[in-house]
Amino acid sequence: MPDQYSVISNQNLRGALRASTPARGVEVGDARSLLRGRQLFVLGEEVIDAAPWVSASASGIVTTGAYGVRQARQLKDAHPSHALIIEPTRIEGESGYWANPEQPFYLGDPNMMIRPTLDEALTEMRAAHSAIAITPTGQFKVGDSDSLKTALSMVNDVDRTDTAFLIPISGAVLDREDTVRQLIAVINRSTHPVLLALTSDKNPVHNERRRRAYRRIFEEATNMVIPWRVDLSGFDALAHGAVGMAVGVIPSKRRLTPVGRKGGSAADPSDMAPHMFIGDLLRFVRSTELRRHWFVDVESIACLCAICENQPIDRLFHSDEDRLTGHLHNALDLQRLHDQTFGLSPTDIGAWWADQAAAALDAYAQLESYLGRAVSIPDEVMFWSER
């Protein structure tokens, strides 16, 4: 198979052509079966354009935000073979909801005379064409054990197979032994699969302490727990016990924004060029950064994916068309990485991931040789390469 990129070659991740994926239908109404083995894509406005590029057999689509239900309706008709999931609204940002011991789930305005029950809210989600129902959980504050316990009790009272228990909680939960231990206990006591979504203004797994604690959750979980709204940390989770993931194609979908916040601030808010995923390096890099700091004196590396078609990886600017192009490239390259896990046992995936990161380090050396100068290597790539 040909390399995906010119100049650099990750020997553990070869080929621009997608590997054959096992034929698979959509396990509608069976949350555990549907989530197992899939790489779900959490998408925003680009969801309609991205759908044709998402594998129906190995992946799936998560619609988000205020227009998620309307988008799901369009996708259901146009792509009936896709696994389609609607994420609840009011789970993040300025319109987000804090879980509390009296009502950990957002079930409508508290001033309403009659509000739906949790079971009714889940049924409503399924009626909107979501293949499974995700609990409309409010964000948990670190140490708020009462709200966690109430949520666990309420969701365990729901007797249905189509339900996944969303746990949105601050990335700071990973900083303390007691909160990590409590989170694992809640996950293991749930009768439903758990979707673990960390909230933060930036990468919630940004240091080694948090990376090790995050791994521990998946290593010690006896119940199905899916890393939700993640970046490449989802692959590390997969290597340590997770059986699926929901990855964000753009930065805002790779974490949850804390309640009341507008979202993370970029170093240059005016720079709207897309972040490009370079699979051989296990890294997202903004196109602007590639032009200004990587390929200043030499030609850019080219990408052979079906979106880029041998064009320079740094060619995209801030137009809506360019941003969409970058997002579609990311979806394809993330699927290329995930394809490598098919047929591997849990133990094999762990070894594969370490090898993948080690091969990425070799690709960085190739890039540095081409550029004639050093390139910073993300700490997490070094961490992932350790056995």
Side-chain angles (χ1 to χ4, degrees), residues 31 35 104-105 118 133-137 140 147-153 155-156 163-168 186-187 189-197 223-226:
L35 293 168
F105 302 106
L118 176 58
I134 298 176
T135 58
T137 322
F140 296 104
S147 295
L148 268 172
K149 290 176 182 177
T150 301
L152 177 64
S153 176
V155 76
N156 280 353
T163 299
F165 178 23
L166 175 66
I167 299 183
V186 169
I187 290 169
R189 291 171 185 164
S190 172
T191 58
H192 302 277
V194 169
L195 313 178
L196 178 60
N223 182 30
M224 178 184 285
V225 54
I226 302 295

PDB file of all heavy atoms in Angstrom, residues 31 35 104-105 118 133-137 140 147-153 155-156 163-168 186-187 189-197 223-226:
ATOM      1  N   ALA A  31     -28.034  -0.449  23.053  1.00  0.00           N
ATOM      2  CA  ALA A  31     -26.938   0.484  23.277  1.00  0.00           C
ATOM      3  C   ALA A  31     -25.588  -0.220  23.361  1.00  0.00           C
ATOM      4  O   ALA A  31     -24.606   0.234  22.769  1.00  0.00           O
ATOM      5  CB  ALA A  31     -27.194   1.298  24.548  1.00  0.00           C
ATOM      6  N   LEU A  35     -22.613   0.498  20.506  1.00  0.00           N
ATOM      7  CA  LEU A  35     -21.414   1.237  20.894  1.00  0.00           C
ATOM      8  C   LEU A  35     -20.136   0.412  20.746  1.00  0.00           C
ATOM      9  O   LEU A  35     -19.058   0.959  20.512  1.00  0.00           O
ATOM     10  CB  LEU A  35     -21.546   1.704  22.351  1.00  0.00           C
ATOM     11  CG  LEU A  35     -22.620   2.765  22.619  1.00  0.00           C
ATOM     12  CD1 LEU A  35     -22.856   2.912  24.121  1.00  0.00           C
ATOM     13  CD2 LEU A  35     -22.228   4.104  22.008  1.00  0.00           C
ATOM     14  N   PRO A 104     -30.565  15.597  38.797  1.00  0.00           N
ATOM     15  CA  PRO A 104     -29.292  15.564  38.066  1.00  0.00           C
ATOM     16  C   PRO A 104     -29.456  15.589  36.549  1.00  0.00           C
ATOM     17  O   PRO A 104     -28.470  15.773  35.836  1.00  0.00           O
ATOM     18  CB  PRO A 104     -28.671  14.247  38.528  1.00  0.00           C
ATOM     19  CG  PRO A 104     -29.844  13.383  38.868  1.00  0.00           C
ATOM     20  CD  PRO A 104     -30.889  14.303  39.411  1.00  0.00           C
ATOM     21  N   PHE A 105     -30.693  15.392  36.067  1.00  0.00           N
ATOM     22  CA  PHE A 105     -30.946  15.399  34.619  1.00  0.00           C
ATOM     23  C   PHE A 105     -31.747  16.631  34.227  1.00  0.00           C
ATOM     24  O   PHE A 105     -32.632  17.072  34.977  1.00  0.00           O
ATOM     25  CB  PHE A 105     -31.711  14.139  34.211  1.00  0.00           C
ATOM     26  CG  PHE A 105     -30.997  12.864  34.556  1.00  0.00           C
ATOM     27  CD1 PHE A 105     -31.425  12.079  35.611  1.00  0.00           C
ATOM     28  CD2 PHE A 105     -29.891  12.453  33.826  1.00  0.00           C
ATOM     29  CE1 PHE A 105     -30.767  10.915  35.947  1.00  0.00           C
ATOM     30  CE2 PHE A 105     -29.224  11.283  34.147  1.00  0.00           C
ATOM     31  CZ  PHE A 105     -29.657  10.510  35.211  1.00  0.00           C
ATOM     32  N   LEU A 118     -37.628  10.926  33.311  1.00  0.00           N
ATOM     33  CA  LEU A 118     -36.422  10.535  32.598  1.00  0.00           C
ATOM     34  C   LEU A 118     -36.763   9.533  31.499  1.00  0.00           C
ATOM     35  O   LEU A 118     -36.274   9.641  30.366  1.00  0.00           O
ATOM     36  CB  LEU A 118     -35.397   9.935  33.570  1.00  0.00           C
ATOM     37  CG  LEU A 118     -34.106   9.395  32.942  1.00  0.00           C
ATOM     38  CD1 LEU A 118     -33.370  10.480  32.163  1.00  0.00           C
ATOM     39  CD2 LEU A 118     -33.206   8.809  34.031  1.00  0.00           C
ATOM     40  N   ALA A 133     -30.661   6.075  23.169  1.00  0.00           N
ATOM     41  CA  ALA A 133     -31.032   7.268  23.938  1.00  0.00           C
ATOM     42  C   ALA A 133     -29.946   7.565  24.966  1.00  0.00           C
ATOM     43  O   ALA A 133     -29.537   6.684  25.723  1.00  0.00           O
ATOM     44  CB  ALA A 133     -32.374   7.049  24.642  1.00  0.00           C
ATOM     45  N   ILE A 134     -29.489   8.805  24.973  1.00  0.00           N
ATOM     46  CA  ILE A 134     -28.470   9.246  25.924  1.00  0.00           C
ATOM     47  C   ILE A 134     -29.154  10.063  27.016  1.00  0.00           C
ATOM     48  O   ILE A 134     -29.979  10.936  26.730  1.00  0.00           O
ATOM     49  CB  ILE A 134     -27.401  10.096  25.229  1.00  0.00           C
ATOM     50  CG1 ILE A 134     -26.677   9.276  24.156  1.00  0.00           C
ATOM     51  CG2 ILE A 134     -26.413  10.657  26.237  1.00  0.00           C
ATOM     52  CD1 ILE A 134     -25.664  10.081  23.361  1.00  0.00           C
ATOM     53  N   THR A 135     -28.809   9.795  28.255  1.00  0.00           N
ATOM     54  CA  THR A 135     -29.420  10.536  29.357  1.00  0.00           C
ATOM     55  C   THR A 135     -29.045  12.016  29.277  1.00  0.00           C
ATOM     56  O   THR A 135     -27.883  12.353  29.011  1.00  0.00           O
ATOM     57  CB  THR A 135     -28.969   9.989  30.718  1.00  0.00           C
ATOM     58  OG1 THR A 135     -27.535  10.059  30.817  1.00  0.00           O
ATOM     59  CG2 THR A 135     -29.431   8.550  30.910  1.00  0.00           C
ATOM     60  N   PRO A 136     -30.002  12.916  29.507  1.00  0.00           N
ATOM     61  CA  PRO A 136     -29.722  14.362  29.467  1.00  0.00           C
ATOM     62  C   PRO A 136     -29.121  14.840  30.788  1.00  0.00           C
ATOM     63  O   PRO A 136     -29.691  15.659  31.504  1.00  0.00           O
ATOM     64  CB  PRO A 136     -31.114  14.960  29.228  1.00  0.00           C
ATOM     65  CG  PRO A 136     -32.042  14.005  29.923  1.00  0.00           C
ATOM     66  CD  PRO A 136     -31.439  12.627  29.720  1.00  0.00           C
ATOM     67  N   THR A 137     -27.938  14.322  31.087  1.00  0.00           N
ATOM     68  CA  THR A 137     -27.313  14.561  32.381  1.00  0.00           C
ATOM     69  C   THR A 137     -26.715  15.953  32.470  1.00  0.00           C
ATOM     70  O   THR A 137     -26.048  16.418  31.541  1.00  0.00           O
ATOM     71  CB  THR A 137     -26.191  13.535  32.633  1.00  0.00           C
ATOM     72  OG1 THR A 137     -26.583  12.256  32.129  1.00  0.00           O
ATOM     73  CG2 THR A 137     -25.883  13.434  34.112  1.00  0.00           C
ATOM     74  N   PHE A 140     -21.507  17.427  36.321  1.00  0.00           N
ATOM     75  CA  PHE A 140     -21.214  17.189  37.731  1.00  0.00           C
ATOM     76  C   PHE A 140     -20.000  18.011  38.148  1.00  0.00           C
ATOM     77  O   PHE A 140     -18.991  18.056  37.440  1.00  0.00           O
ATOM     78  CB  PHE A 140     -20.923  15.711  37.989  1.00  0.00           C
ATOM     79  CG  PHE A 140     -22.076  14.799  37.736  1.00  0.00           C
ATOM     80  CD1 PHE A 140     -22.112  14.011  36.592  1.00  0.00           C
ATOM     81  CD2 PHE A 140     -23.139  14.727  38.627  1.00  0.00           C
ATOM     82  CE1 PHE A 140     -23.173  13.163  36.348  1.00  0.00           C
ATOM     83  CE2 PHE A 140     -24.212  13.874  38.390  1.00  0.00           C
ATOM     84  CZ  PHE A 140     -24.236  13.085  37.252  1.00  0.00           C
ATOM     85  N   SER A 147     -25.069  14.244  43.902  1.00  0.00           N
ATOM     86  CA  SER A 147     -25.686  14.300  42.572  1.00  0.00           C
ATOM     87  C   SER A 147     -25.353  13.058  41.758  1.00  0.00           C
ATOM     88  O   SER A 147     -26.203  12.522  41.035  1.00  0.00           O
ATOM     89  CB  SER A 147     -25.217  15.554  41.826  1.00  0.00           C
ATOM     90  OG  SER A 147     -25.661  16.723  42.476  1.00  0.00           O
ATOM     91  N   LEU A 148     -24.125  12.590  41.864  1.00  0.00           N
ATOM     92  CA  LEU A 148     -23.733  11.368  41.161  1.00  0.00           C
ATOM     93  C   LEU A 148     -24.563  10.174  41.625  1.00  0.00           C
ATOM     94  O   LEU A 148     -25.039   9.371  40.811  1.00  0.00           O
ATOM     95  CB  LEU A 148     -22.246  11.084  41.384  1.00  0.00           C
ATOM     96  CG  LEU A 148     -21.253  11.626  40.365  1.00  0.00           C
ATOM     97  CD1 LEU A 148     -19.823  11.413  40.865  1.00  0.00           C
ATOM     98  CD2 LEU A 148     -21.433  10.973  39.002  1.00  0.00           C
ATOM     99  N   LYS A 149     -24.730  10.067  42.933  1.00  0.00           N
ATOM    100  CA  LYS A 149     -25.495   8.942  43.473  1.00  0.00           C
ATOM    101  C   LYS A 149     -26.957   9.002  43.041  1.00  0.00           C
ATOM    102  O   LYS A 149     -27.566   7.981  42.711  1.00  0.00           O
ATOM    103  CB  LYS A 149     -25.390   8.930  44.998  1.00  0.00           C
ATOM    104  CG  LYS A 149     -24.013   8.558  45.515  1.00  0.00           C
ATOM    105  CD  LYS A 149     -23.945   8.661  47.037  1.00  0.00           C
ATOM    106  CE  LYS A 149     -22.556   8.335  47.565  1.00  0.00           C
ATOM    107  NZ  LYS A 149     -22.465   8.512  49.040  1.00  0.00           N
ATOM    108  N   THR A 150     -27.530  10.221  43.048  1.00  0.00           N
ATOM    109  CA  THR A 150     -28.924  10.360  42.620  1.00  0.00           C
ATOM    110  C   THR A 150     -29.074   9.981  41.151  1.00  0.00           C
ATOM    111  O   THR A 150     -30.004   9.266  40.768  1.00  0.00           O
ATOM    112  CB  THR A 150     -29.414  11.802  42.834  1.00  0.00           C
ATOM    113  OG1 THR A 150     -29.290  12.149  44.214  1.00  0.00           O
ATOM    114  CG2 THR A 150     -30.877  11.934  42.425  1.00  0.00           C
ATOM    115  N   ALA A 151     -28.158  10.461  40.327  1.00  0.00           N
ATOM    116  CA  ALA A 151     -28.209  10.140  38.895  1.00  0.00           C
ATOM    117  C   ALA A 151     -28.097   8.640  38.677  1.00  0.00           C
ATOM    118  O   ALA A 151     -28.834   8.051  37.873  1.00  0.00           O
ATOM    119  CB  ALA A 151     -27.104  10.872  38.158  1.00  0.00           C
ATOM    120  N   LEU A 152     -27.181   8.000  39.384  1.00  0.00           N
ATOM    121  CA  LEU A 152     -27.001   6.556  39.251  1.00  0.00           C
ATOM    122  C   LEU A 152     -28.261   5.813  39.648  1.00  0.00           C
ATOM    123  O   LEU A 152     -28.699   4.892  38.939  1.00  0.00           O
ATOM    124  CB  LEU A 152     -25.822   6.104  40.113  1.00  0.00           C
ATOM    125  CG  LEU A 152     -25.547   4.597  40.134  1.00  0.00           C
ATOM    126  CD1 LEU A 152     -25.136   4.103  38.749  1.00  0.00           C
ATOM    127  CD2 LEU A 152     -24.454   4.275  41.164  1.00  0.00           C
ATOM    128  N   SER A 153     -28.864   6.218  40.741  1.00  0.00           N
ATOM    129  CA  SER A 153     -30.090   5.554  41.195  1.00  0.00           C
ATOM    130  C   SER A 153     -31.219   5.730  40.195  1.00  0.00           C
ATOM    131  O   SER A 153     -31.940   4.770  39.866  1.00  0.00           O
ATOM    132  CB  SER A 153     -30.497   6.123  42.561  1.00  0.00           C
ATOM    133  OG  SER A 153     -31.727   5.580  42.994  1.00  0.00           O
ATOM    134  N   VAL A 155     -31.043   6.421  36.902  1.00  0.00           N
ATOM    135  CA  VAL A 155     -30.831   5.747  35.616  1.00  0.00           C
ATOM    136  C   VAL A 155     -30.942   4.235  35.784  1.00  0.00           C
ATOM    137  O   VAL A 155     -31.400   3.531  34.872  1.00  0.00           O
ATOM    138  CB  VAL A 155     -29.485   6.165  34.987  1.00  0.00           C
ATOM    139  CG1 VAL A 155     -28.305   5.495  35.666  1.00  0.00           C
ATOM    140  CG2 VAL A 155     -29.473   5.866  33.493  1.00  0.00           C
ATOM    141  N   ASN A 156     -30.555   3.712  36.935  1.00  0.00           N
ATOM    142  CA  ASN A 156     -30.682   2.273  37.161  1.00  0.00           C
ATOM    143  C   ASN A 156     -32.140   1.832  37.306  1.00  0.00           C
ATOM    144  O   ASN A 156     -32.453   0.656  37.126  1.00  0.00           O
ATOM    145  CB  ASN A 156     -29.886   1.850  38.393  1.00  0.00           C
ATOM    146  CG  ASN A 156     -28.403   1.700  38.108  1.00  0.00           C
ATOM    147  OD1 ASN A 156     -27.974   1.792  36.958  1.00  0.00           O
ATOM    148  ND2 ASN A 156     -27.614   1.463  39.136  1.00  0.00           N
ATOM    149  N   THR A 163     -30.488   2.563  26.316  1.00  0.00           N
ATOM    150  CA  THR A 163     -30.050   3.744  27.061  1.00  0.00           C
ATOM    151  C   THR A 163     -28.571   3.706  27.405  1.00  0.00           C
ATOM    152  O   THR A 163     -28.032   2.670  27.799  1.00  0.00           O
ATOM    153  CB  THR A 163     -30.872   3.877  28.356  1.00  0.00           C
ATOM    154  OG1 THR A 163     -32.250   4.041  28.014  1.00  0.00           O
ATOM    155  CG2 THR A 163     -30.425   5.070  29.179  1.00  0.00           C
ATOM    156  N   ALA A 164     -27.903   4.862  27.255  1.00  0.00           N
ATOM    157  CA  ALA A 164     -26.516   5.051  27.690  1.00  0.00           C
ATOM    158  C   ALA A 164     -26.500   6.180  28.707  1.00  0.00           C
ATOM    159  O   ALA A 164     -27.145   7.216  28.522  1.00  0.00           O
ATOM    160  CB  ALA A 164     -25.614   5.372  26.514  1.00  0.00           C
ATOM    161  N   PHE A 165     -25.778   5.976  29.783  1.00  0.00           N
ATOM    162  CA  PHE A 165     -25.692   6.923  30.893  1.00  0.00           C
ATOM    163  C   PHE A 165     -24.524   7.873  30.645  1.00  0.00           C
ATOM    164  O   PHE A 165     -23.372   7.493  30.735  1.00  0.00           O
ATOM    165  CB  PHE A 165     -25.512   6.132  32.197  1.00  0.00           C
ATOM    166  CG  PHE A 165     -25.351   6.959  33.446  1.00  0.00           C
ATOM    167  CD1 PHE A 165     -25.809   8.269  33.537  1.00  0.00           C
ATOM    168  CD2 PHE A 165     -24.729   6.398  34.574  1.00  0.00           C
ATOM    169  CE1 PHE A 165     -25.670   9.010  34.703  1.00  0.00           C
ATOM    170  CE2 PHE A 165     -24.586   7.122  35.743  1.00  0.00           C
ATOM    171  CZ  PHE A 165     -25.041   8.431  35.808  1.00  0.00           C
ATOM    172  N   LEU A 166     -24.836   9.117  30.289  1.00  0.00           N
ATOM    173  CA  LEU A 166     -23.815  10.131  30.059  1.00  0.00           C
ATOM    174  C   LEU A 166     -23.351  10.705  31.397  1.00  0.00           C
ATOM    175  O   LEU A 166     -24.169  11.168  32.195  1.00  0.00           O
ATOM    176  CB  LEU A 166     -24.373  11.250  29.179  1.00  0.00           C
ATOM    177  CG  LEU A 166     -23.456  12.457  28.941  1.00  0.00           C
ATOM    178  CD1 LEU A 166     -22.220  12.058  28.139  1.00  0.00           C
ATOM    179  CD2 LEU A 166     -24.219  13.583  28.237  1.00  0.00           C
ATOM    180  N   ILE A 167     -22.042  10.674  31.633  1.00  0.00           N
ATOM    181  CA  ILE A 167     -21.457  11.301  32.823  1.00  0.00           C
ATOM    182  C   ILE A 167     -20.543  12.427  32.363  1.00  0.00           C
ATOM    183  O   ILE A 167     -19.392  12.196  31.976  1.00  0.00           O
ATOM    184  CB  ILE A 167     -20.666  10.295  33.677  1.00  0.00           C
ATOM    185  CG1 ILE A 167     -21.571   9.169  34.166  1.00  0.00           C
ATOM    186  CG2 ILE A 167     -20.016  11.004  34.870  1.00  0.00           C
ATOM    187  CD1 ILE A 167     -20.872   8.160  35.075  1.00  0.00           C
ATOM    188  N   PRO A 168     -21.043  13.682  32.378  1.00  0.00           N
ATOM    189  CA  PRO A 168     -20.203  14.831  32.035  1.00  0.00           C
ATOM    190  C   PRO A 168     -19.604  15.406  33.324  1.00  0.00           C
ATOM    191  O   PRO A 168     -20.334  15.837  34.211  1.00  0.00           O
ATOM    192  CB  PRO A 168     -21.189  15.804  31.384  1.00  0.00           C
ATOM    193  CG  PRO A 168     -22.563  15.368  31.837  1.00  0.00           C
ATOM    194  CD  PRO A 168     -22.434  14.080  32.579  1.00  0.00           C
ATOM    195  N   VAL A 186     -19.038   4.449  40.403  1.00  0.00           N
ATOM    196  CA  VAL A 186     -20.325   4.802  39.784  1.00  0.00           C
ATOM    197  C   VAL A 186     -20.451   4.113  38.425  1.00  0.00           C
ATOM    198  O   VAL A 186     -21.512   3.564  38.087  1.00  0.00           O
ATOM    199  CB  VAL A 186     -20.446   6.334  39.638  1.00  0.00           C
ATOM    200  CG1 VAL A 186     -21.638   6.704  38.762  1.00  0.00           C
ATOM    201  CG2 VAL A 186     -20.580   6.979  41.012  1.00  0.00           C
ATOM    202  N   ILE A 187     -19.385   4.139  37.647  1.00  0.00           N
ATOM    203  CA  ILE A 187     -19.400   3.478  36.330  1.00  0.00           C
ATOM    204  C   ILE A 187     -19.735   2.000  36.485  1.00  0.00           C
ATOM    205  O   ILE A 187     -20.577   1.447  35.769  1.00  0.00           O
ATOM    206  CB  ILE A 187     -18.045   3.656  35.630  1.00  0.00           C
ATOM    207  CG1 ILE A 187     -17.853   5.121  35.198  1.00  0.00           C
ATOM    208  CG2 ILE A 187     -17.926   2.730  34.422  1.00  0.00           C
ATOM    209  CD1 ILE A 187     -16.440   5.445  34.735  1.00  0.00           C
ATOM    210  N   ARG A 189     -21.284   0.443  38.848  1.00  0.00           N
ATOM    211  CA  ARG A 189     -22.599   0.144  39.422  1.00  0.00           C
ATOM    212  C   ARG A 189     -23.752   0.469  38.471  1.00  0.00           C
ATOM    213  O   ARG A 189     -24.913   0.151  38.761  1.00  0.00           O
ATOM    214  CB  ARG A 189     -22.778   0.911  40.733  1.00  0.00           C
ATOM    215  CG  ARG A 189     -21.875   0.397  41.851  1.00  0.00           C
ATOM    216  CD  ARG A 189     -21.907   1.311  43.060  1.00  0.00           C
ATOM    217  NE  ARG A 189     -20.943   0.871  44.062  1.00  0.00           N
ATOM    218  CZ  ARG A 189     -20.521   1.618  45.077  1.00  0.00           C
ATOM    219  NH1 ARG A 189     -20.978   2.868  45.207  1.00  0.00           N
ATOM    220  NH2 ARG A 189     -19.656   1.136  45.939  1.00  0.00           N
ATOM    221  N   SER A 190     -23.429   1.098  37.355  1.00  0.00           N
ATOM    222  CA  SER A 190     -24.485   1.423  36.396  1.00  0.00           C
ATOM    223  C   SER A 190     -24.947   0.157  35.673  1.00  0.00           C
ATOM    224  O   SER A 190     -24.132  -0.675  35.283  1.00  0.00           O
ATOM    225  CB  SER A 190     -23.971   2.441  35.372  1.00  0.00           C
ATOM    226  OG  SER A 190     -24.920   2.636  34.337  1.00  0.00           O
ATOM    227  N   THR A 191     -26.241   0.038  35.491  1.00  0.00           N
ATOM    228  CA  THR A 191     -26.779  -1.096  34.727  1.00  0.00           C
ATOM    229  C   THR A 191     -26.809  -0.798  33.231  1.00  0.00           C
ATOM    230  O   THR A 191     -27.183  -1.654  32.436  1.00  0.00           O
ATOM    231  CB  THR A 191     -28.199  -1.436  35.201  1.00  0.00           C
ATOM    232  OG1 THR A 191     -29.032  -0.273  35.060  1.00  0.00           O
ATOM    233  CG2 THR A 191     -28.191  -1.874  36.664  1.00  0.00           C
ATOM    234  N   HIS A 192     -26.393   0.406  32.868  1.00  0.00           N
ATOM    235  CA  HIS A 192     -26.342   0.827  31.465  1.00  0.00           C
ATOM    236  C   HIS A 192     -24.907   1.148  31.083  1.00  0.00           C
ATOM    237  O   HIS A 192     -24.086   1.483  31.942  1.00  0.00           O
ATOM    238  CB  HIS A 192     -27.217   2.069  31.246  1.00  0.00           C
ATOM    239  CG  HIS A 192     -28.647   1.879  31.626  1.00  0.00           C
ATOM    240  ND1 HIS A 192     -29.563   1.302  30.788  1.00  0.00           N
ATOM    241  CD2 HIS A 192     -29.306   2.173  32.772  1.00  0.00           C
ATOM    242  CE1 HIS A 192     -30.749   1.251  31.391  1.00  0.00           C
ATOM    243  NE2 HIS A 192     -30.617   1.773  32.594  1.00  0.00           N
ATOM    244  N   PRO A 193     -24.553   1.071  29.807  1.00  0.00           N
ATOM    245  CA  PRO A 193     -23.224   1.522  29.390  1.00  0.00           C
ATOM    246  C   PRO A 193     -23.052   2.997  29.711  1.00  0.00           C
ATOM    247  O   PRO A 193     -24.019   3.767  29.692  1.00  0.00           O
ATOM    248  CB  PRO A 193     -23.214   1.262  27.881  1.00  0.00           C
ATOM    249  CG  PRO A 193     -24.643   1.205  27.478  1.00  0.00           C
ATOM    250  CD  PRO A 193     -25.373   0.631  28.653  1.00  0.00           C
ATOM    251  N   VAL A 194     -21.831   3.391  30.009  1.00  0.00           N
ATOM    252  CA  VAL A 194     -21.535   4.757  30.429  1.00  0.00           C
ATOM    253  C   VAL A 194     -20.770   5.481  29.329  1.00  0.00           C
ATOM    254  O   VAL A 194     -19.857   4.919  28.712  1.00  0.00           O
ATOM    255  CB  VAL A 194     -20.720   4.760  31.737  1.00  0.00           C
ATOM    256  CG1 VAL A 194     -20.180   6.148  32.055  1.00  0.00           C
ATOM    257  CG2 VAL A 194     -21.585   4.254  32.893  1.00  0.00           C
ATOM    258  N   LEU A 195     -21.124   6.736  29.094  1.00  0.00           N
ATOM    259  CA  LEU A 195     -20.395   7.621  28.194  1.00  0.00           C
ATOM    260  C   LEU A 195     -19.692   8.652  29.077  1.00  0.00           C
ATOM    261  O   LEU A 195     -20.356   9.460  29.732  1.00  0.00           O
ATOM    262  CB  LEU A 195     -21.341   8.324  27.216  1.00  0.00           C
ATOM    263  CG  LEU A 195     -22.375   7.448  26.508  1.00  0.00           C
ATOM    264  CD1 LEU A 195     -23.263   8.312  25.606  1.00  0.00           C
ATOM    265  CD2 LEU A 195     -21.708   6.339  25.715  1.00  0.00           C
ATOM    266  N   LEU A 196     -18.375   8.610  29.123  1.00  0.00           N
ATOM    267  CA  LEU A 196     -17.612   9.511  29.994  1.00  0.00           C
ATOM    268  C   LEU A 196     -17.113  10.704  29.191  1.00  0.00           C
ATOM    269  O   LEU A 196     -16.278  10.557  28.294  1.00  0.00           O
ATOM    270  CB  LEU A 196     -16.437   8.769  30.622  1.00  0.00           C
ATOM    271  CG  LEU A 196     -15.525   9.608  31.528  1.00  0.00           C
ATOM    272  CD1 LEU A 196     -16.310  10.183  32.708  1.00  0.00           C
ATOM    273  CD2 LEU A 196     -14.337   8.784  32.015  1.00  0.00           C
ATOM    274  N   ALA A 197     -17.635  11.888  29.531  1.00  0.00           N
ATOM    275  CA  ALA A 197     -17.259  13.127  28.831  1.00  0.00           C
ATOM    276  C   ALA A 197     -16.638  14.093  29.828  1.00  0.00           C
ATOM    277  O   ALA A 197     -17.284  14.469  30.814  1.00  0.00           O
ATOM    278  CB  ALA A 197     -18.488  13.759  28.168  1.00  0.00           C
ATOM    279  N   ASN A 223     -17.795  -2.360  33.866  1.00  0.00           N
ATOM    280  CA  ASN A 223     -18.942  -2.051  33.021  1.00  0.00           C
ATOM    281  C   ASN A 223     -18.430  -1.376  31.751  1.00  0.00           C
ATOM    282  O   ASN A 223     -17.328  -0.839  31.720  1.00  0.00           O
ATOM    283  CB  ASN A 223     -19.903  -1.118  33.760  1.00  0.00           C
ATOM    284  CG  ASN A 223     -21.149  -0.776  32.964  1.00  0.00           C
ATOM    285  OD1 ASN A 223     -21.611  -1.573  32.141  1.00  0.00           O
ATOM    286  ND2 ASN A 223     -21.696   0.406  33.204  1.00  0.00           N
ATOM    287  N   MET A 224     -19.216  -1.429  30.689  1.00  0.00           N
ATOM    288  CA  MET A 224     -18.832  -0.748  29.452  1.00  0.00           C
ATOM    289  C   MET A 224     -18.782   0.757  29.681  1.00  0.00           C
ATOM    290  O   MET A 224     -19.762   1.364  30.117  1.00  0.00           O
ATOM    291  CB  MET A 224     -19.819  -1.072  28.333  1.00  0.00           C
ATOM    292  CG  MET A 224     -19.503  -0.341  27.027  1.00  0.00           C
ATOM    293  SD  MET A 224     -20.734  -0.619  25.712  1.00  0.00           S
ATOM    294  CE  MET A 224     -20.301  -2.286  25.219  1.00  0.00           C
ATOM    295  N   VAL A 225     -17.643   1.360  29.382  1.00  0.00           N
ATOM    296  CA  VAL A 225     -17.498   2.819  29.468  1.00  0.00           C
ATOM    297  C   VAL A 225     -16.829   3.289  28.186  1.00  0.00           C
ATOM    298  O   VAL A 225     -15.781   2.786  27.789  1.00  0.00           O
ATOM    299  CB  VAL A 225     -16.720   3.245  30.730  1.00  0.00           C
ATOM    300  CG1 VAL A 225     -15.376   2.547  30.838  1.00  0.00           C
ATOM    301  CG2 VAL A 225     -16.532   4.757  30.748  1.00  0.00           C
ATOM    302  N   ILE A 226     -17.462   4.265  27.544  1.00  0.00           N
ATOM    303  CA  ILE A 226     -17.016   4.782  26.246  1.00  0.00           C
ATOM    304  C   ILE A 226     -16.445   6.183  26.433  1.00  0.00           C
ATOM    305  O   ILE A 226     -17.126   7.062  26.987  1.00  0.00           O
ATOM    306  CB  ILE A 226     -18.191   4.835  25.248  1.00  0.00           C
ATOM    307  CG1 ILE A 226     -18.823   3.454  25.071  1.00  0.00           C
ATOM    308  CG2 ILE A 226     -17.736   5.422  23.912  1.00  0.00           C
ATOM    309  CD1 ILE A 226     -17.928   2.416  24.436  1.00  0.00           C
TER     310      ILE A 226
END
